Amino acid sequence: NTPVSFRVSLSTTPNDTMADDGAKGGDFGLTVGLNTSLFGCFDDITGCLVTTFLPCIPMAYARCSIDERDCNVCDCLCGPNPYQTRQSMRKKYDLEFSPTQDFLAHWCCGCCAVNQDVREIAHLSQQPAKWM
């Protein structure tokens, strides 16, 4: 058994560096295979506020982006399961499969994880993040 260690960084710069174990600094290993930091939500205050107070909207936009379709009011009112959205994102963009870390990210800090999903999709699709 090898001990698990985490490097904690309070940096909120957009280009968080990778820690020695491959995890983004300060993410406690919850961003396996992703390009964006879990706590990078603080870099974009608009996205941070929208995902905190109206999470159903960015959840719907993230799901619709993955499905490559337009988002409508019903998508926002019947918000998708964010865990399943992240799993679909990983499959679509051929990212490392990490179900336990995805579950923990969404369970421990759901708003940050939804925000990360939107930023990750924007990064991978080379489009601006869609919050509303």
Side-chain angles (χ1 to χ4, degrees):
N1 293 335
T2 54
V4 177
S5 65
F6 299 102
R7 180 184 296 175
V8 177
S9 168
L10 298 178
S11 170
T12 58
T13 58
N15 297 318
D16 281 343
T17 57
M18 298 291 278
D20 293 338
D21 61 358
K24 295 247 182 222
D27 287 347
F28 305 101
L30 298 178
T31 56
V32 174
L34 301 178
N35 299 294
T36 57
S37 170
L38 180 63
F39 301 118
C41 53
F42 299 110
D43 294 337
D44 179 352
I45 195 65
T46 301
C48 184
L49 291 172
V50 171
T51 55
T52 300
F53 296 107
L54 298 167
C56 58
I57 296 172
M59 281 192 291
Y61 273 101
R63 184 74 227 184
C64 291
S65 293
I66 291 169
D67 293 344
E68 297 178 3
R69 61 184 178 85
D70 291 332
C71 190
N72 62 50
V73 173
C74 293
D75 291 310
C76 295
L77 295 176
C78 301
N81 179 313
Y83 170 82
Q84 292 172 341
T85 298
R86 183 168 287 200
Q87 296 309 300
S88 296
M89 175 181 66
R90 286 184 181 280
K91 183 175 181 179
K92 178 178 180 174
Y93 294 108
D94 196 30
L95 302 172
E96 182 180 343
F97 188 64
S98 182
T100 304
Q101 286 85 351
D102 292 344
F103 164 77
L104 290 171
H106 283 282
W107 188 73
C108 294
C109 191
C111 294
C112 292
V114 169
N115 185 291
Q116 181 185 29
D117 290 346
V118 172
R119 290 181 291 109
E120 184 72 17
I121 292 167
H123 172 80
L124 293 169
S125 64
Q126 299 179 352
Q127 300 290 324
K130 292 177 87 173
W131 304 109
M132 297 185 88

